[in-house]
Amino acid sequence: FLLRDLNMLENKYKQQFSQEILESVFIGVDKVNNLAFQRGMHSIHIINKNGIKKVLKNISVLQHSCRNLLSDPMKIDMSDALNLYSLCGSDESTLFEQIDSGHLAFCSHKDLKTILKLQFSEELKKQLKRNSANPKRINSMPLNSKRYHDALMTLENLHQSTK
């Protein structure tokens, strides 16, 4: 539905408005979209690889549609949103590499914690389900919980050192 609706809107806009009006209306829409996806990430509790792929596809389609409306398509750049959701599907070491290289300077500490949470969300949910199904099983800290905890501590230490 998203593709169809975007194509319909794109055609309507091009028919009803001059290129000058489209330029003035849609300049900066990429910044708003990046911010919306960045803030929207906080409302996601669990996401798997397929969910990440769908979000990335939607961001790409939205970016493409916005680019089609402007005379200079390169003025639309939603790479920040694409990068954030790509990181949700990667591992914690990739996140820390991106932080160290300065590619995530636009992110708050809360954003980085959310990315980290989403990286582990599916596996942690599975572990919680397994542990609740077998209450007699004694497991002080499952492997992925420990990895998540260690990554969270590393992120906190990085945050403290940059203050």
Side-chain angles (χ1 to χ4, degrees), residues 18-35:
S18 68
Q19 189 61 39
E20 185 178 288
I21 290 174
L22 287 174
E23 296 284 333
S24 63
V25 169
F26 284 96
I27 277 298
V29 75
D30 56 329
K31 308 277 185 279
V32 173
N33 288 339
N34 275 326
L35 190 58

Side-chain angles (χ1 to χ4, degrees), residues 42-90:
H42 297 285
S43 66
I44 302 171
H45 299 288
I46 298 171
I47 193 164
N48 61 19
K49 300 287 183 195
N50 289 332
I52 293 167
K53 285 179 188 176
K54 286 178 182 179
V55 171
L56 290 172
K57 181 182 177 210
N58 287 339
I59 294 169
S60 294
V61 167
L62 185 59
Q63 176 178 260
H64 181 72
S65 293
C66 291
R67 283 180 171 175
N68 284 341
L69 292 169
L70 297 179
S71 60
D72 182 6
M74 299 321 292
K75 288 182 180 177
I76 300 293
D77 178 17
M78 293 180 60
S79 58
D80 287 349
L82 288 167
N83 191 21
L84 286 178
Y85 284 91
S86 293
L87 283 170
C88 292
S90 67

Side-chain angles (χ1 to χ4, degrees), residues 1 3 14 26 35 39 41 44 46-47 51 62 67 73 75 88 97 108 110 114 124 139-140 149 156 161:
F1 293 115
L3 280 173
K14 284 185 174 185
F26 284 96
L35 190 58
R39 295 223 173 124
M41 180 176 60
I44 302 171
I46 298 171
I47 193 164
L62 185 59
R67 283 180 171 175
K75 288 182 180 177
C88 292
E97 287 170 12
S108 69
K110 184 179 176 183
T114 299
L124 290 174
N139 198 353
S140 60
H149 179 75
E156 292 300 326
S161 68

